[in-house]
Each structure stands twice: as structure tokens, then as C-alpha cells.
Short mmCIF file of all heavy atoms in Angstrom, two decimals:
data_model
loop_
_atom_site.label_atom_id
_atom_site.label_comp_id
_atom_site.label_asym_id
_atom_site.label_seq_id
_atom_site.Cartn_x
_atom_site.Cartn_y
_atom_site.Cartn_z
N GLY A 67 0.78 -1.23 0.00
CA GLY A 67 0.00 0.00 0.00
C GLY A 67 0.81 1.28 0.00
O GLY A 67 0.24 2.38 0.13
N ALA A 68 2.13 1.18 -0.17
CA ALA A 68 2.96 2.39 -0.16
C ALA A 68 2.86 3.16 -1.46
O ALA A 68 3.08 4.37 -1.49
CB ALA A 68 4.42 2.01 0.10
N LEU A 69 2.54 2.49 -2.56
CA LEU A 69 2.39 3.13 -3.86
C LEU A 69 1.11 2.64 -4.51
O LEU A 69 0.57 1.58 -4.16
CB LEU A 69 3.59 2.81 -4.77
CG LEU A 69 4.95 3.43 -4.41
CD1 LEU A 69 6.02 2.91 -5.34
CD2 LEU A 69 4.88 4.94 -4.45
N GLY A 70 0.63 3.41 -5.51
CA GLY A 70 -0.57 3.02 -6.24
C GLY A 70 -0.21 2.44 -7.60
O GLY A 70 0.88 2.70 -8.14
N VAL A 71 -1.13 1.68 -8.15
CA VAL A 71 -0.89 1.07 -9.46
C VAL A 71 -0.74 2.14 -10.53
O VAL A 71 -0.03 1.96 -11.52
CB VAL A 71 -2.05 0.11 -9.82
CG1 VAL A 71 -1.89 -0.44 -11.23
CG2 VAL A 71 -2.12 -1.03 -8.82
N ASP A 72 -1.41 3.29 -10.33
CA ASP A 72 -1.39 4.36 -11.33
C ASP A 72 -0.37 5.45 -10.99
O ASP A 72 -0.55 6.60 -11.35
CB ASP A 72 -2.78 4.97 -11.47
CG ASP A 72 -3.31 5.52 -10.15
OD1 ASP A 72 -2.67 5.26 -9.11
OD2 ASP A 72 -4.36 6.19 -10.17
N THR A 73 0.71 5.06 -10.33
CA THR A 73 1.71 6.04 -9.88
C THR A 73 2.25 6.88 -11.03
O THR A 73 2.46 8.09 -10.89
CB THR A 73 2.88 5.34 -9.18
OG1 THR A 73 2.38 4.64 -8.03
CG2 THR A 73 3.94 6.33 -8.75
N LEU A 74 2.50 6.27 -12.18
CA LEU A 74 3.09 6.98 -13.32
C LEU A 74 2.06 7.59 -14.25
O LEU A 74 2.43 8.23 -15.24
CB LEU A 74 4.00 6.03 -14.12
CG LEU A 74 5.22 5.48 -13.37
CD1 LEU A 74 6.03 4.57 -14.29
CD2 LEU A 74 6.08 6.60 -12.82
N ASP A 75 0.79 7.38 -13.98
CA ASP A 75 -0.25 7.96 -14.82
C ASP A 75 -0.47 9.42 -14.43
O ASP A 75 -0.27 9.79 -13.27
CB ASP A 75 -1.55 7.17 -14.68
CG ASP A 75 -1.43 5.79 -15.28
OD1 ASP A 75 -1.51 5.67 -16.52
OD2 ASP A 75 -1.23 4.82 -14.52
N PRO A 76 -0.92 10.26 -15.40
CA PRO A 76 -1.12 11.67 -15.09
C PRO A 76 -2.28 11.90 -14.15
O PRO A 76 -3.23 11.12 -14.14
CB PRO A 76 -1.40 12.31 -16.46
CG PRO A 76 -1.98 11.18 -17.26
CD PRO A 76 -1.25 9.94 -16.79
N ASP A 77 -2.20 12.96 -13.34
CA ASP A 77 -3.32 13.31 -12.47
C ASP A 77 -4.49 13.76 -13.32
O ASP A 77 -4.32 14.40 -14.35
CB ASP A 77 -2.95 14.46 -11.52
CG ASP A 77 -1.92 14.00 -10.49
OD1 ASP A 77 -1.89 12.79 -10.21
OD2 ASP A 77 -1.15 14.85 -10.02
N VAL A 78 -5.70 13.42 -12.87
CA VAL A 78 -6.89 13.83 -13.60
C VAL A 78 -7.15 15.30 -13.32
O VAL A 78 -7.34 15.70 -12.19
CB VAL A 78 -8.10 12.99 -13.16
CG1 VAL A 78 -9.36 13.47 -13.85
CG2 VAL A 78 -7.86 11.52 -13.47
N ASP A 79 -7.16 16.11 -14.35
CA ASP A 79 -7.41 17.54 -14.15
C ASP A 79 -8.45 18.09 -15.09
O ASP A 79 -8.58 19.30 -15.27
CB ASP A 79 -6.11 18.34 -14.32
CG ASP A 79 -5.50 18.16 -15.71
OD1 ASP A 79 -6.11 17.42 -16.52
OD2 ASP A 79 -4.45 18.76 -15.98
N GLY A 80 -9.19 17.16 -15.73
CA GLY A 80 -10.25 17.60 -16.61
C GLY A 80 -9.80 17.87 -18.03
O GLY A 80 -10.58 18.23 -18.88
N THR A 81 -8.52 17.67 -18.32
CA THR A 81 -8.03 17.88 -19.67
C THR A 81 -7.74 16.54 -20.30
O THR A 81 -7.61 15.52 -19.64
CB THR A 81 -6.74 18.72 -19.67
OG1 THR A 81 -5.71 17.97 -19.02
CG2 THR A 81 -6.96 20.02 -18.92
N THR A 82 -7.61 16.52 -21.62
CA THR A 82 -7.33 15.29 -22.35
C THR A 82 -5.90 15.25 -22.84
O THR A 82 -5.50 14.31 -23.51
CB THR A 82 -8.28 15.15 -23.56
OG1 THR A 82 -8.11 16.30 -24.40
CG2 THR A 82 -9.71 15.05 -23.11
N GLU A 83 -5.09 16.24 -22.50
CA GLU A 83 -3.72 16.30 -22.97
C GLU A 83 -2.85 15.36 -22.15
O GLU A 83 -2.86 15.38 -20.93
CB GLU A 83 -3.19 17.73 -22.85
CG GLU A 83 -1.77 17.87 -23.37
CD GLU A 83 -1.26 19.28 -23.26
OE1 GLU A 83 -2.04 20.16 -22.84
OE2 GLU A 83 -0.09 19.52 -23.59
N LEU A 84 -2.07 14.51 -22.84
CA LEU A 84 -1.19 13.58 -22.18
C LEU A 84 0.25 13.99 -22.44
O LEU A 84 0.56 14.60 -23.46
CB LEU A 84 -1.43 12.15 -22.70
CG LEU A 84 -2.84 11.59 -22.51
CD1 LEU A 84 -2.92 10.20 -23.11
CD2 LEU A 84 -3.22 11.55 -21.04
N GLY A 85 1.12 13.64 -21.55
CA GLY A 85 2.51 14.00 -21.76
C GLY A 85 3.43 12.94 -21.22
O GLY A 85 3.03 12.01 -20.52
N GLY A 86 4.72 13.06 -21.53
CA GLY A 86 5.73 12.19 -21.01
C GLY A 86 5.52 10.73 -21.36
O GLY A 86 5.23 10.35 -22.49
N LEU A 87 5.67 9.88 -20.33
CA LEU A 87 5.61 8.44 -20.51
C LEU A 87 4.25 7.97 -20.99
O LEU A 87 4.14 7.04 -21.80
CB LEU A 87 5.97 7.77 -19.18
CG LEU A 87 6.37 6.30 -19.22
CD1 LEU A 87 7.50 6.07 -20.22
CD2 LEU A 87 6.77 5.85 -17.83
N THR A 88 3.18 8.59 -20.50
CA THR A 88 1.84 8.20 -20.92
C THR A 88 1.64 8.43 -22.40
O THR A 88 1.05 7.59 -23.11
CB THR A 88 0.79 8.99 -20.12
OG1 THR A 88 0.98 8.77 -18.73
CG2 THR A 88 -0.62 8.55 -20.51
N ALA A 89 2.12 9.56 -22.91
CA ALA A 89 2.00 9.85 -24.33
C ALA A 89 2.80 8.86 -25.16
O ALA A 89 2.36 8.42 -26.23
CB ALA A 89 2.47 11.29 -24.62
N ALA A 90 3.99 8.50 -24.67
CA ALA A 90 4.83 7.54 -25.38
C ALA A 90 4.15 6.18 -25.46
O ALA A 90 4.15 5.52 -26.51
CB ALA A 90 6.19 7.42 -24.70
N MET A 91 3.56 5.75 -24.35
CA MET A 91 2.86 4.47 -24.34
C MET A 91 1.66 4.48 -25.28
O MET A 91 1.38 3.51 -25.98
CB MET A 91 2.42 4.13 -22.92
CG MET A 91 3.56 3.72 -22.00
SD MET A 91 4.37 2.22 -22.58
CE MET A 91 5.54 1.96 -21.26
N SER A 92 0.93 5.59 -25.29
CA SER A 92 -0.22 5.70 -26.18
C SER A 92 0.22 5.65 -27.63
O SER A 92 -0.45 5.04 -28.48
CB SER A 92 -0.98 7.00 -25.89
OG SER A 92 -1.51 6.99 -24.58
N ALA A 93 1.35 6.29 -27.93
CA ALA A 93 1.86 6.28 -29.30
C ALA A 93 2.24 4.87 -29.75
O ALA A 93 2.17 4.55 -30.94
CB ALA A 93 3.07 7.21 -29.41
N LEU A 94 2.62 4.03 -28.80
CA LEU A 94 2.98 2.64 -29.12
C LEU A 94 1.77 1.72 -29.12
O LEU A 94 1.92 0.51 -29.29
CB LEU A 94 4.01 2.13 -28.09
CG LEU A 94 5.40 2.76 -28.14
CD1 LEU A 94 6.24 2.27 -26.97
CD2 LEU A 94 6.09 2.44 -29.47
N GLY A 95 0.59 2.29 -28.92
CA GLY A 95 -0.63 1.48 -28.92
C GLY A 95 -0.86 0.76 -27.61
O GLY A 95 -1.57 -0.25 -27.57
N LEU A 96 -0.27 1.26 -26.52
CA LEU A 96 -0.37 0.59 -25.23
C LEU A 96 -1.28 1.32 -24.26
O LEU A 96 -1.16 1.16 -23.04
CB LEU A 96 1.03 0.44 -24.61
CG LEU A 96 2.05 -0.31 -25.48
CD1 LEU A 96 3.39 -0.40 -24.78
CD2 LEU A 96 1.55 -1.70 -25.83
N HIS A 97 -2.18 2.16 -24.78
CA HIS A 97 -3.12 2.83 -23.90
C HIS A 97 -4.23 1.87 -23.49
O HIS A 97 -4.44 0.85 -24.12
CB HIS A 97 -3.74 4.04 -24.62
CG HIS A 97 -4.44 3.70 -25.89
ND1 HIS A 97 -3.77 3.41 -27.07
CD2 HIS A 97 -5.76 3.57 -26.19
CE1 HIS A 97 -4.65 3.14 -28.02
NE2 HIS A 97 -5.87 3.23 -27.50
N GLY A 98 -4.90 2.19 -22.42
CA GLY A 98 -5.99 1.34 -21.95
C GLY A 98 -5.66 0.63 -20.65
O GLY A 98 -6.56 0.11 -19.98
N VAL A 99 -4.38 0.56 -20.30
CA VAL A 99 -3.96 -0.03 -19.03
C VAL A 99 -3.00 0.93 -18.36
O VAL A 99 -2.37 1.75 -19.02
CB VAL A 99 -3.27 -1.41 -19.24
CG1 VAL A 99 -4.25 -2.42 -19.78
CG2 VAL A 99 -2.08 -1.26 -20.17
N PRO A 100 -2.87 0.86 -17.02
CA PRO A 100 -1.93 1.76 -16.33
C PRO A 100 -0.52 1.65 -16.89
O PRO A 100 -0.09 0.57 -17.30
CB PRO A 100 -2.00 1.28 -14.88
CG PRO A 100 -3.36 0.67 -14.75
CD PRO A 100 -3.62 0.01 -16.08
N VAL A 101 0.19 2.77 -16.91
CA VAL A 101 1.56 2.78 -17.45
C VAL A 101 2.45 1.79 -16.72
O VAL A 101 3.28 1.10 -17.33
CB VAL A 101 2.15 4.20 -17.34
CG1 VAL A 101 3.62 4.20 -17.70
CG2 VAL A 101 1.40 5.16 -18.25
N THR A 102 2.28 1.69 -15.40
CA THR A 102 3.12 0.77 -14.64
C THR A 102 2.90 -0.68 -15.05
O THR A 102 3.84 -1.48 -15.07
CB THR A 102 2.84 0.93 -13.13
OG1 THR A 102 1.43 0.86 -12.91
CG2 THR A 102 3.37 2.25 -12.62
N VAL A 103 1.66 -1.03 -15.38
CA VAL A 103 1.37 -2.40 -15.83
C VAL A 103 2.02 -2.65 -17.18
O VAL A 103 2.62 -3.71 -17.41
CB VAL A 103 -0.15 -2.63 -15.89
CG1 VAL A 103 -0.45 -4.00 -16.49
CG2 VAL A 103 -0.77 -2.50 -14.52
N SER A 104 1.91 -1.70 -18.10
CA SER A 104 2.52 -1.85 -19.42
C SER A 104 4.03 -1.99 -19.32
O SER A 104 4.63 -2.88 -19.93
CB SER A 104 2.17 -0.64 -20.30
OG SER A 104 0.79 -0.55 -20.53
N LEU A 105 4.66 -1.11 -18.53
CA LEU A 105 6.12 -1.17 -18.38
C LEU A 105 6.56 -2.48 -17.73
O LEU A 105 7.54 -3.10 -18.17
CB LEU A 105 6.59 0.01 -17.53
CG LEU A 105 6.80 1.34 -18.25
CD1 LEU A 105 7.22 2.40 -17.25
CD2 LEU A 105 7.84 1.21 -19.35
N SER A 106 5.84 -2.90 -16.70
CA SER A 106 6.20 -4.13 -16.01
C SER A 106 6.10 -5.33 -16.95
O SER A 106 6.98 -6.21 -16.95
CB SER A 106 5.29 -4.33 -14.80
OG SER A 106 5.42 -3.27 -13.88
N THR A 107 5.05 -5.36 -17.74
CA THR A 107 4.88 -6.47 -18.68
C THR A 107 5.97 -6.47 -19.73
O THR A 107 6.56 -7.53 -20.05
CB THR A 107 3.50 -6.38 -19.36
OG1 THR A 107 2.47 -6.38 -18.37
CG2 THR A 107 3.29 -7.56 -20.30
N MET A 108 6.27 -5.30 -20.28
CA MET A 108 7.32 -5.20 -21.30
C MET A 108 8.67 -5.64 -20.75
O MET A 108 9.41 -6.39 -21.41
CB MET A 108 7.41 -3.77 -21.83
CG MET A 108 6.24 -3.34 -22.68
SD MET A 108 6.50 -1.72 -23.45
CE MET A 108 7.82 -2.11 -24.61
N ILE A 109 9.01 -5.20 -19.55
CA ILE A 109 10.29 -5.56 -18.96
C ILE A 109 10.37 -7.05 -18.68
O ILE A 109 11.39 -7.71 -18.96
CB ILE A 109 10.53 -4.75 -17.67
CG1 ILE A 109 10.74 -3.28 -18.00
CG2 ILE A 109 11.72 -5.30 -16.88
CD1 ILE A 109 10.77 -2.37 -16.80
N ALA A 110 9.28 -7.63 -18.14
CA ALA A 110 9.28 -9.06 -17.83
C ALA A 110 9.41 -9.90 -19.10
O ALA A 110 10.20 -10.87 -19.14
CB ALA A 110 8.00 -9.42 -17.08
N VAL A 111 8.68 -9.56 -20.14
CA VAL A 111 8.74 -10.31 -21.39
C VAL A 111 10.12 -10.16 -22.04
O VAL A 111 10.71 -11.14 -22.52
CB VAL A 111 7.63 -9.86 -22.36
CG1 VAL A 111 7.80 -10.51 -23.73
CG2 VAL A 111 6.27 -10.19 -21.78
#
């Protein structure tokens, strides 16, 4: 419980603009799951 699954995801502020790691993941077609889950899966595989 020290960290959340969505630690690397952007804070919700009512905008649709994404940046940084989230934008990179979306560009790779990896949107739809938390960034930490995508990164963890990629590293493990």
C-alpha cells in the first residue's frame, strides 16, 4: 500500500492532454492499461 498502481499515470485535471511516458505508451498502442502495468509487462517479457 505504499504506492498506487497508477503512480506513473497523469493526475486527472479535466483535460485530455497527455505527456511524457503516458503519451509515449499511447503512441505505441499501449493505452488502456496503467503505465506501470505496461512497463512491467514489457520488462518481464
Side-chain angles (χ1 to χ4, degrees):
L69 290 175
V71 175
D72 58 351
T73 299
L74 297 181
D75 292 281
D77 292 334
V78 177
D79 60 1
T81 66
T82 58
E83 182 180 356
L84 300 178
L87 198 53
T88 302
M91 287 297 184
S92 296
L94 291 174
L96 303 180
H97 58 284
V99 294
V101 172
T102 50
V103 174
S104 297
L105 277 178
S106 299
T107 303
M108 289 187 68
I109 292 172
V111 173

